[in-house]
Amino acid sequence: MSVKEWLKERFPIDYEKFVEINENIFIKEPIPLHMKKWLLAMGTTPFILLPMQIITGILLAFYFVPSPEMAYESVRYITEEVQLGFWIRGFHHWGANLMIISIFLHMMRVFFTHAYRKPREINWIVGFILLFLVLTISFTGYSLTYNQLSYWAATVGTNLVKETPLIGGFLVNMLRGGESVTANTLTRFYTLHVWLLPLLITLMIVIHIIVLRVHGISEPEGYDKGYYPFYPSHFNKIIIVTLFLISLISLLTVILPPGLGQPADPMNTPLHIKPEWYFFSVFLFLKLVPIKLGILLIGLIVLIMIFWPFIEPLTSKKEDRRAIINYVLGGTAILILIAFTILETISL
Amino acid sequence: MNNAKIQQWLIGIFSVLLIVSLMIVATVEIKKTREYKPEIDIDKITARCITCHEKENIAVKQIDAWEESEHAVMGIGCFECHEAKDGDFDAQRCPESDFLIARHPTPKDCAECHEQQVAEFANSKHAHQFWLFANADRAVYENPISTRHGCEQCHQVGNIWPDGSVGECDVCHAKHSFDLAVARQPETCGECHIGPDHPHIEIYNESKHGNIFITKGGEWDMGYHTADNEPIPIEAPVCVTCHMDGNEKQPMTHNVSARLAWESQSPWSYRTVWDEENLGSWEVKRERMESICKSCHAPNFIETYLVTADLVNLQYNEIRRMFVYWTKKLTNDSLIDRLKADGKFYSNPVLNGWDEVPELEMYHAWHHEGRRFRHGAEMMGADFTQWHGIWDLQEDMVELIAWAAEHGDKEAEEWVESNHPSKFAPYALYDIPGSAWGIPTKTNTTPFVYKDNKDYWDRIKANVETVYKKGLLAEDQWDLWMKRYENKDHYLGLKYSSDVDSTWNFYKERNALDTKAFKEQAVKLNLPGKSFWERKK
Amino acid sequence: MEKEKQQKQTRRDFLFKFGIIGVLVIGIGAFVRNLFLFIFPRKKEVRYHKYLVGRVSKIPLGEAKEITIQKKPVFVVHLEDGFKVFSGICTHLGCIIKWEENNNRFFCPCHKGIFDKTGKVVDGPPPEPLHEYKVEQEEDLVFVYVKDKVKGPWS
């Protein structure tokens, strides 16, 4: 009796049908011709990075101890004592950074090719939720290292939440589990970071892809019409990107390894505190305007961005005018973001 | 090439890249920021001692110190050092147990493991109670209770124990952690090598060596083991770096006399003959020290520096000759008297004596300023050679001769009445053309003895040659001296003196301005309100 | 002729694909190996320190002294040709052995294992001799080399 038959007896499903479904939704999935261009296929990158983050995250969790006494020491232990620990930690660190970069690039592509337009508005919003989840998971992850910079980033970051109108105080208390950043905060952040947020992210990605598949990949104008099957050409592309990412991240861990910093000291704020680079623009903006106003403005901007697919049609009736508004607004937003990030980087 | 082929190539290339990156990853070594000490095993006897000492609260901090020691790691517990046999001078029955314990482990106990170190120490001058031989009569001036916690405390380093062993290891190796960093700290040496008689820690702190250590030493790991013939791991030397620790060429030693060529603490400076059978001649000892110096310095610099210091030592002897001459003469003329009881003398005109001015001057000129003068010159303590050295020596001499004149000594009267500047050099001189630091162009144009004596350098040469022939300078030192003598216009900078006149005149003008300023501001000031005393008159 | 050429073509193609897959498999293999190294970290170097176990003059010839090293019983045996130091843990199932002076042997009470004073199995189920420490004798002092067990949460 062959293995196939043995399995078929135990799992009496229609094997032929299974193969057929697999062929239809996976192997023969029609990919538009424009996807041959690498820059137009950016969305896969965060999707490839996700399992890498999950694997390295599980490995780090083998050693990490989320308590104020042990958090820094266990990160030190992973980095200095565990075989290839510095690599796994660096991998997780750089994987997170690359994920944020690739999400930004993916969003840019979607925005400028108008892929968010009717009927794909929902997927733009799902994507935006994913962006926030990823930023939150990065923030909580960074805080777990419990060195001076990350401790004070956690303190300042959670204090910003306090400025949320009406429910600010309540939210901060919930996040910190107390008045200040303590052991409770650490275990909360840990719980968020290692299962709640990953679970939500995975769920949202599933929705993101289902919505994508039911509509089919949006096709920007000005490219040859036509399709090619997922396998082998696009499949190979994913393998190439995967191999490239692993190599790149591995080299980054050697060239720019994440440091240990000084152990967190709740009694002593270091002279120059800074969040991770992807929060630089927000950080600088909040330094420039009064905090309450700043939070409100950022909330407003974010709301406009989230609901842009519904707002855009209200701006003009003419298609080409809307295109111009799209380019100008998108371009300005990106320039401001980059300018703020650079300004904060060079300021002490 | 078709698309599929390109993709396959890319997969191949990136797979290779991945392998290469992972190989790079595998070779990375992460620097550890923390070193854990091995956990210590406390044996049963030690555990009993600790439990009881903690219960009774006796010297419990010493237990913590021991737990930090390497002894604790190696299973050297309390009883390993504190075990006693019946009849031992320090045997004591522990009141809470049946243990017979030694109150006071001696070098004999340490030697069980550290045999070489104890033997080296016992052969060093640290272990030599020289003052008991020539100077026991010091106790007439200082009563015993005062010396208990005075001189006796430091000189405990050379204590002779009832068991025949010599020394006290924990004078430097603070018990019970026996931490190398503590033993190596200059302040450990400075516990005793301090004060007016031998201000070695002050000299060290004044030197460039000490300055670098004070500035940066806090970040250095001073607890290292010096293995024989290993490089010095710290940037600037502390005391033990030169006197004990090893370098590439020298083994580590506990014999602090192994690298010293002079007896410059003694009333007369002389080339050391200490333990020649083991340590070799003074020249061998000098080479040992120079070999340490050469870890950091160019040979020519340290050889010049050290021969200059040697000449300071010899110069001291000539100055001392004056003091000996006068105190002997005054004793013979019965102007001063020796202390005497039951036919035994308790003071010595050439060493000490405390009830008459010339004796005190003599004592200070050796025991205090004479040592500061010499040791400052050997260890870069300029201020100690200068103001605390030669200046005080000259004052002592002037006061001594003035005292003799006041008490009717004709020769002294003649000296006091003389107006000639050479009166302050009533002794023979040594000198060397120039210094180790560089070529000065104007400094050597001023000294009176240079101007007053056309044959100055010939007379100096005759003196230096004499001590060289007597074996007080090594041949290479004599060669070095002669090289400078033959090029003295260069080394003294006289050759270049007129070349720098424009620079010189610039400062000369400034000096004129200074002089003018103080004359106007201070000298010529005439206040209208006369002094109150004058009005009274 | 044409056929031969085609065959050559396909063979070359096969070798090319085989090579690519081979490199890919090695690359992924190296990656997975590194992950495993992380999960089961091997201490890079085991360090030892010297530990004083007794004095020659204190342990009479032929006798054994029981001490404790790293909270485990250890026996120091004075033999004709020097000292042997044994772990007091039976090599059978980990019970603690006893020194029987009158019988001149080590005895394990759990399954009646018997070792002689050189650590060899004399009787009973133990599969191998008692584990030994490396001994170094310096005049009167007997040292063994003990594996460093570091203070801290990771040991």
Side-chain angles (χ1 to χ4, degrees):
Chain A
M1 198 165 44
S2 74
V3 178
K4 207 195 264 177
E5 278 167 13
W6 189 91
L7 267 175
K8 240 174 151 179
E9 267 176 28
R10 267 84 198 160
F11 298 98
I13 51 165
D14 190 340
Y15 188 73
E16 309 301 323
K17 190 108 185 206
F18 179 77
V19 170
E20 197 188 312
I21 292 169
N22 187 38
E23 289 233 325
N24 278 338
I25 70 162
F26 186 61
I27 301 203
K28 286 184 186 156
E29 180 202 347
I31 309 286
L33 279 175
H34 76 271
M35 292 285 275
K36 294 216 163 177
K37 300 243 177 274
W38 291 86
L39 274 177
L40 297 178
M42 265 336 255
T44 324
T45 319
F47 183 62
I48 296 168
L49 285 167
L50 180 76
M52 295 191 199
Q53 291 302 90
I54 290 176
I55 292 169
T56 49
I58 288 171
L59 292 173
L60 289 174
F62 283 0
Y63 294 104
F64 181 74
V65 186
S67 83
E69 293 77 24
M70 289 296 294
Y72 177 85
E73 169 58 23
S74 58
V75 174
R76 187 203 66 79
Y77 180 73
I78 290 169
T79 315
E80 293 176 359
E81 314 264 343
V82 180
Q83 186 113 317
L84 292 175
F86 84 97
W87 177 60
I88 298 292
R89 179 170 166 237
F91 209 107
H92 203 68
H93 170 91
W94 281 111
N97 280 286
L98 289 186
M99 186 180 262
I100 286 162
I101 293 172
S102 58
I103 287 174
F104 282 149
L105 290 175
H106 173 56
M107 281 175 71
M108 257 163 66
R109 198 277 299 161
V110 169
F111 189 81
F112 287 126
T113 57
H114 315 302
Y116 54 84
R117 285 182 181 172
K118 188 179 162 188
R120 296 188 174 82
E121 300 100 325
I122 298 297
N123 229 12
W124 170 262
I125 293 171
V126 172
F128 235 98
I129 294 170
L130 270 169
L131 171 69
F132 283 116
L133 290 175
V134 168
L135 286 176
T136 319
I137 205 170
S138 301
F139 176 73
T140 50
Y142 178 65
S143 305
L144 291 182
T145 55
Y146 222 65
N147 59 35
Q148 271 291 64
L149 280 180
S150 76
Y151 177 87
W152 290 101
T155 305
V156 173
T158 44
N159 259 332
L160 285 179
V161 176
K162 204 191 265 173
E163 303 300 329
T164 319
L166 302 174
I167 51 164
F170 167 76
L171 277 181
V172 166
N173 243 317
M174 192 172 79
L175 266 175
R176 287 184 177 171
E179 291 292 305
S180 55
V181 177
T182 59
N184 282 351
T185 324
L186 201 55
T187 43
R188 264 155 220 241
F189 276 26
Y190 183 67
T191 314
L192 286 174
H193 186 80
V194 301
W195 76 269
L196 199 57
L197 289 171
L199 190 75
L200 283 174
I201 287 173
T202 314
L203 214 73
M204 292 316 275
I205 285 179
V206 170
I207 295 172
H208 204 57
I209 289 172
I210 288 175
V211 177
L212 169 85
R213 292 301 304 277
V214 294
H215 286 299
I217 293 171
S218 75
E219 287 166 53
E221 286 153 27
Y223 292 93
D224 291 343
K225 292 277 168 197
Y227 300 93
Y228 63 99
F230 177 83
Y231 186 86
S233 187
H234 205 73
F235 179 76
N236 281 348
K237 215 165 184 169
I238 289 175
I239 288 183
I240 292 166
V241 173
T242 310
L243 288 170
F244 169 72
L245 283 173
I246 300 177
S247 311
L248 175 71
I249 295 173
S250 296
L251 289 175
L252 281 171
T253 62
V254 176
I255 300 160
L256 297 165
L260 283 172
Q262 295 297 314
D265 176 6
M267 304 299 288
N268 182 11
T269 312
L271 265 177
H272 307 292
I273 63 160
K274 258 183 195 199
E276 286 277 75
W277 63 269
Y278 33 84
F279 293 119
F280 275 7
S281 48
V282 175
F283 189 63
L284 180 63
F285 182 70
L286 289 175
K287 276 200 274 190
L288 295 176
V289 295
I291 189 112
K292 284 235 190 297
L293 181 68
I295 297 275
L296 279 175
L297 281 177
I298 288 172
L300 193 70
I301 293 167
V302 166
L303 278 178
I304 291 172
M305 283 166 83
I306 292 176
F307 294 106
W308 181 249
F310 299 107
I311 296 167
E312 191 193 25
L314 308 175
T315 54
S316 176
K317 286 209 167 87
K318 285 187 189 139
E319 169 59 30
D320 42 351
R321 169 131 348 138
R322 269 192 282 166
I324 290 167
I325 291 173
N326 171 297
Y327 294 142
V328 170
L329 264 183
T332 328
I334 290 164
L335 283 178
I336 290 173
L337 216 64
I338 291 175
F340 270 45
T341 306
I342 290 173
L343 275 176
E344 180 58 31
T345 311
I346 55 175
S347 80
L348 261 177
Chain B
M1 240 193 293
N2 63 27
N3 197 36
K5 207 81 184 210
I6 293 172
Q7 284 194 331
Q8 284 174 355
W9 269 109
L10 285 174
I11 291 175
I13 289 165
F14 282 119
S15 304
V16 173
L17 181 65
L18 175 63
I19 297 168
V20 172
S21 359
L22 291 178
M23 276 158 72
I24 295 171
V25 166
T27 59
V28 171
E29 274 195 35
I30 297 297
K31 201 176 150 240
K32 291 201 169 55
T33 54
R34 181 182 303 187
E35 203 61 70
Y36 281 112
K37 274 187 152 181
E39 206 171 326
I40 59 170
D41 263 317
I42 298 178
D43 62 75
K44 281 173 193 153
I45 295 177
T46 304
R48 273 184 72 183
C49 301
I50 290 176
T51 316
C52 188
H53 267 256
E54 279 180 345
K55 196 181 81 202
E56 302 287 330
N57 199 25
I58 298 168
V60 284
K61 290 303 286 178
Q62 295 298 336
I63 300 166
D64 297 346
W66 171 79
E67 281 176 353
E68 289 300 311
S69 72
E70 284 183 45
H71 281 163
V73 174
M74 292 184 71
I76 318 288
C78 309
F79 217 46
E80 270 63 44
C81 304
H82 282 280
E83 186 180 12
K85 281 194 271 303
D86 248 332
D88 280 357
F89 75 96
D90 60 343
Q92 179 195 357
R93 191 68 63 180
C94 167
E96 302 288 326
S97 70
D98 49 351
F99 295 146
L100 191 63
I101 52 170
R103 290 183 69 89
H104 210 126
T106 67
K108 198 180 164 194
D109 300 295
C110 300
E112 273 195 59
C113 300
H114 306 285
E115 197 185 347
Q116 188 195 340
Q117 285 76 4
V118 170
E120 283 170 352
F121 176 86
N123 273 322
S124 76
K125 276 227 156 166
H126 264 156
H128 183 41
Q129 306 198 357
F130 50 89
W131 71 95
L132 293 181
F133 300 103
N135 211 14
D137 41 10
R138 268 282 290 278
V140 303
Y141 197 52
E142 303 150 332
N143 48 65
I145 185 62
S146 315
T147 62
R148 289 278 179 263
H149 283 181
C151 48
E152 282 178 43
Q153 185 174 320
C154 277
H155 285 289
Q156 176 72 12
V157 74
N159 189 41
I160 301 175
W161 293 95
D163 65 9
S165 63
V166 181
E168 173 95 297
C169 303
D170 67 358
V171 164
C172 307
H173 295 277
K175 66 197 173 213
H176 280 87
S177 67
F178 303 102
D179 193 331
L180 285 176
V182 175
R184 196 171 265 118
Q185 185 72 10
E187 275 73 10
T188 294
C189 310
E191 285 178 24
C192 297
H193 293 263
I194 191 171
D197 57 333
H198 44 35
H200 298 149
I201 184 75
E202 291 96 330
I203 290 171
Y204 174 74
N205 287 343
E206 188 198 346
S207 74
K208 189 65 83 198
H209 293 159
N211 182 7
I212 296 173
F213 174 73
I214 291 163
T215 311
K216 296 182 178 174
E219 290 161 20
W220 302 344
D221 173 18
M222 300 301 288
Y224 60 89
H225 286 267
T226 67
D228 290 349
N229 308 322
E230 288 277 326
I232 296 166
I234 50 178
E235 183 190 329
V238 291
C239 313
V240 296
T241 313
C242 302
H243 293 284
M244 298 174 85
D245 279 349
N247 74 346
E248 294 90 332
K249 296 266 167 66
Q250 284 297 317
M252 153 83 184
T253 180
H254 269 65
N255 188 335
V256 287
S257 309
R259 299 172 190 165
L260 296 179
W262 280 107
E263 298 290 350
S264 54
Q265 81 294 344
S266 143
W268 293 98
S269 280
Y270 61 100
R271 287 302 192 179
T272 182
V273 292
W274 179 259
D275 193 22
E276 279 191 321
E277 55 273 35
N278 289 314
L279 297 174
S281 67
W282 67 265
E283 280 152 305
V284 178
K285 293 170 186 166
R286 180 180 73 101
E287 270 161 28
R288 283 198 195 101
M289 182 60 92
E290 286 190 351
S291 145
I292 299 286
C293 302
K294 283 173 190 166
S295 275
C296 308
H297 296 287
N300 187 264
F301 171 76
I302 53 143
E303 279 156 16
T304 310
Y305 183 84
L306 289 177
V307 78
T308 310
D310 288 353
L311 293 172
V312 169
N313 265 288
L314 291 163
Q315 185 61 65
Y316 163 78
N317 282 352
E318 295 315 308
I319 300 171
R320 174 173 168 77
R321 213 179 292 288
M322 293 308 302
F323 287 87
V324 171
Y325 171 80
W326 283 107
T327 49
K328 271 191 169 168
K329 190 178 184 205
L330 295 171
T331 309
N332 287 339
D333 296 347
S334 294
L335 287 172
I336 55 176
D337 295 312
R338 296 181 73 175
L339 300 169
K340 200 172 158 188
D342 303 330
K344 192 175 176 280
F345 287 114
Y346 284 89
S347 72
N348 185 337
V350 299
L351 211 55
N352 49 27
W354 301 276
D355 55 348
E356 277 145 334
V357 170
E359 290 172 334
L360 270 173
E361 303 290 0
M362 139 70 66
Y363 176 69
H364 276 125
W366 152 52
H367 197 267
H368 289 32
E369 13 289 29
R371 284 178 177 170
R372 299 199 293 255
F373 176 55
R374 290 173 281 172
H375 296 172
E378 280 154 2
M379 300 194 295
M380 285 199 285
D383 200 50
F384 291 88
T385 300
Q386 181 64 40
W387 297 111
H388 304 302
I390 189 63
W391 191 264
D392 283 348
L393 276 171
Q394 293 290 85
E395 274 189 357
D396 293 344
M397 186 183 74
V398 170
E399 278 166 28
L400 198 166
I401 303 176
W403 188 91
E406 276 169 30
H407 289 76
D409 185 281
K410 289 277 170 281
E411 190 190 352
E413 278 171 16
E414 197 182 309
W415 185 89
V416 169
E417 277 158 22
S418 162
N419 287 329
H420 198 270
S422 340
K423 71 189 266 190
F424 296 109
Y427 39 72
L429 292 182
Y430 295 95
D431 200 349
I432 185 168
S435 71
W437 317 119
I439 306 294
T441 50
K442 289 287 183 187
T443 314
N444 292 309
T445 58
T446 50
F448 172 75
V449 282
Y450 288 5
K451 291 178 181 166
D452 193 45
N453 302 286
K454 288 286 162 273
D455 59 346
Y456 175 83
W457 283 105
D458 294 333
R459 286 166 65 181
I460 299 295
K461 186 193 162 198
N463 291 347
V464 175
E465 193 168 9
T466 306
V467 289
Y468 158 59
K469 288 202 168 138
K470 205 160 163 50
L472 301 178
L473 290 176
E475 193 172 344
D476 58 308
Q477 294 185 296
W478 169 243
D479 292 344
L480 184 111
W481 195 92
M482 277 306 286
K483 199 182 130 206
R484 284 188 166 245
Y485 172 78
E486 274 151 17
N487 297 292
K488 57 178 175 301
D489 276 1
H490 164 72
Y491 286 108
L492 287 167
L494 301 173
K495 201 171 159 183
Y496 313 102
S497 184
S498 52
D499 299 350
V500 294
D501 275 344
S502 62
T503 315
W504 174 250
N505 287 334
F506 170 77
Y507 293 102
K508 211 170 167 181
E509 277 164 33
R510 292 220 158 164
N511 195 58
L513 288 177
D514 271 359
T515 314
K516 199 173 146 218
F518 81 68
K519 270 187 187 150
E520 276 171 12
Q521 291 175 32
V523 180
K524 290 183 183 163
L525 190 67
N526 197 4
L527 294 177
K530 294 289 179 201
S531 87
F532 297 91
W533 171 243
E534 226 168 287
R535 206 167 60 179
K536 248 297 172 310
K537 279 200 291 192
Chain C
M1 202 56 188
E2 189 66 17
K3 207 178 173 188
E4 220 171 81
K5 209 175 176 184
Q6 233 172 6
Q7 248 181 1
K8 233 180 194 169
Q9 187 81 24
T10 47
R11 198 184 302 151
R12 197 187 291 160
D13 218 48
F14 172 77
L15 282 176
F16 175 70
K17 275 189 178 165
F18 193 78
I20 296 290
I21 291 169
V23 174
L24 187 63
V25 167
I26 295 171
I28 292 168
F31 187 73
V32 172
R33 171 191 168 271
N34 282 3
L35 294 187
F36 267 92
L37 284 182
F38 176 85
I39 298 173
F40 306 105
R42 205 158 18 109
K43 273 262 185 276
K44 261 192 188 145
E45 50 168 340
V46 185
R47 283 203 225 159
Y48 293 87
H49 61 266
K50 267 163 93 178
Y51 188 80
L52 182 70
V53 292
R55 295 176 198 234
V56 181
S57 52
K58 289 279 173 68
I59 306 169
L61 191 67
E63 278 187 25
K65 174 191 171 192
E66 187 182 348
I67 58 163
T68 314
I69 294 179
Q70 293 176 344
K71 303 195 173 72
K72 303 260 164 57
V74 167
F75 290 94
V76 185
V77 191
H78 193 166
L79 299 169
E80 297 277 332
D81 52 347
F83 280 81
K84 273 186 184 281
V85 179
F86 301 112
S87 157
I89 295 169
C90 181
T91 53
H92 180 220
L93 290 170
C95 293
I96 306 298
I97 56 170
K98 285 184 172 57
W99 170 247
E100 295 184 343
E101 206 182 319
N102 42 353
N103 292 327
N104 210 12
R105 65 177 194 184
F106 292 105
F107 178 73
C108 179
C110 291
H111 301 95
K112 300 197 167 55
I114 294 167
F115 305 85
D116 70 9
K117 62 183 176 183
T118 64
K120 283 201 203 79
V121 185
V122 178
D123 196 17
E128 50 183 300
L130 290 172
H131 294 165
E132 269 182 64
Y133 284 87
K134 196 186 157 209
V135 179
E136 194 174 282
Q137 198 178 322
E138 287 177 13
E139 307 204 348
D140 192 37
L141 305 171
V142 184
F143 290 98
V144 290
Y145 281 92
V146 181
K147 239 184 234 176
D148 277 4
K149 214 175 125 189
V150 290
K151 247 188 251 172
W154 309 109
S155 47

